[in-house]
Amino acid sequence: MARQRRREELGLVPDELLLVHAGKLEPAKKTDSLLRAFAAVPKPKAKLAVIGSIPVETQSQLRAQMDLILV
């Protein structure tokens, strides 16, 4: 029950896939590959949760391009 409640808090529907990245989104970590792969996933069947730090300007750009959860 706690899992379902948390998924609802994150705005996830029951059959939606949640992909998680833990770490800083920066070029040295090649996160562009992750973002390209995520962009290829059919929407609205998936969301990407980023746990870590992202520069503020990057946050706005990413949110405009994809369904992103920042934790």
Side-chain angles (χ1 to χ4, degrees), residues 3-18 44-47 67-69:
R3 179 177 183 265
Q4 172 125 4
R5 185 174 38 243
R6 183 64 180 141
R7 287 179 61 85
E8 288 172 3
E9 290 171 2
L10 292 171
L12 298 167
V13 295
D15 64 341
E16 195 167 35
L17 178 65
L18 177 63
K45 296 286 184 184
K47 288 190 179 170
D67 203 353
L68 183 68
I69 299 170

Side-chain angles (χ1 to χ4, degrees), residues 7-46:
R7 287 179 61 85
E8 288 172 3
E9 290 171 2
L10 292 171
L12 298 167
V13 295
D15 64 341
E16 195 167 35
L17 178 65
L18 177 63
L19 303 171
V20 178
H21 170 77
K24 191 174 185 179
L25 283 179
E26 59 182 29
K29 294 192 177 196
K30 307 269 187 213
T31 51
D32 57 327
S33 297
L34 166 72
L35 298 175
R36 276 196 308 275
F38 180 74
V41 175
K43 309 299 183 282
K45 296 286 184 184

